[in-house]
Amino acid sequence: MTTIRSDQSHPSENEPHKARQMAESFGVDAERYDRVRPRYPGAMVERIVAASPGPDVLDVGCGTGIAARQFHAAGCNVLGVEPDERMAEFARRGGLEVEVATFEAWDPAGREFDAVIAGTPWHWVDPLAGAAKAAQVLRPGGRLAAFWHVSEPPPAVSEAFAAVYRRVMPNSPFTFRATRSALDSHQSLLTKAADGIREVGGFGDPEQWRFDGERTYTRDEWLDQLPTSGALTLLPPDKLAEVLERVGAAIDAMGGGFTMPFATLVVTAERTGAA
């Protein structure tokens, strides 16, 4: 389990939007990111679309377009906003329209949308400025929906990985704990998002939706996706290689793979009136 350290030299786990270098580091290998990052549950996409008044969707921090492509396939017209030009260019090559900016600084130029979505990156957005911008661009009855994958490895897997990270990255801005539930750890992010929505006004009371699933990883599959983690994207190549070697050895000791239960959690609210 990883959370951002709460000391004076790094943003706290309640203020990840201030960690701009990390927030904009994922484009270092956009092709890998798009290939290995998990897709979102079809039932979640369908529920957000059904709860929105129309098909026009703004995807905040769209990255390589993983969520955007799923909403497009569900019949939506999707515009992406992405601060990393490398990620935006990858998404454009897949046929998506993407504008490069942070959401807080992005100019909507009078455009309005039926839904504002954020597939994982909402914690990189200032919770008040982001909610206010969403309220500005949503039509009446429009829906803001921010969602996260929350993985819950078996305890033995969590401890093995955490031990590797603590050994190789003792000065990381992340803390590595195997004792705290992943769901408990992410709840602070969801609470922060919901509080921001309530504070800016113009929305109904935020709701939280949950969609459960699981995935079995082989050693190679887990190591392939690991470099796309925020804890590792800024590591020097030698340190990353050491992490991959040691994590690979830990998975080998478990029999070469493991099953990862996960939940996709959604914080969502309807645009009801003037902010």
Side-chain angles (χ1 to χ4, degrees), residues 126-174:
D126 181 282
L128 293 178
K133 180 65 71 71
Q136 175 188 349
V137 302
L138 279 169
R139 298 183 175 110
R143 180 157 297 274
L144 172 59
F147 38 93
W148 292 263
H149 288 309
V150 183
S151 300
E152 191 76 80
V157 176
S158 292
E159 181 50 51
F161 293 169
V164 170
Y165 297 147
R166 289 193 299 264
R167 177 169 180 171
V168 179
M169 301 182 291
N171 298 317
S172 171
F174 286 85

Side-chain angles (χ1 to χ4, degrees), residues 26-142:
F26 298 98
V28 67
D29 191 345
E31 186 281 330
R32 181 198 296 264
Y33 186 100
D34 191 77
R35 172 166 46 83
V36 303
R37 283 289 181 121
R39 276 43 184 169
Y40 296 97
M44 182 205 76
V45 174
E46 293 171 5
R47 186 170 180 183
I48 293 171
V49 171
S52 302
D56 296 330
V57 173
L58 180 69
D59 186 359
V60 175
C62 69
T64 59
I66 292 172
R69 292 194 299 270
Q70 291 185 252
F71 277 82
H72 183 267
C76 297
N77 308 312
V78 184
L79 172 66
V81 176
E82 168 57 44
D84 189 325
E85 176 62 51
R86 299 165 297 183
M87 302 284 267
E89 180 55 31
F90 187 99
R92 291 187 189 115
R93 291 200 300 269
L96 298 172
E97 182 182 354
V98 183
E99 298 178 6
V100 176
T102 63
F103 185 50
E104 298 94 327
W106 173 69
D107 180 8
R111 290 169 289 183
E112 293 184 328
F113 300 86
D114 298 301
V116 173
I117 65 169
T120 300
W122 192 254
H123 57 275
W124 301 120
V125 176
D126 181 282
L128 293 178
K133 180 65 71 71
Q136 175 188 349
V137 302
L138 279 169
R139 298 183 175 110

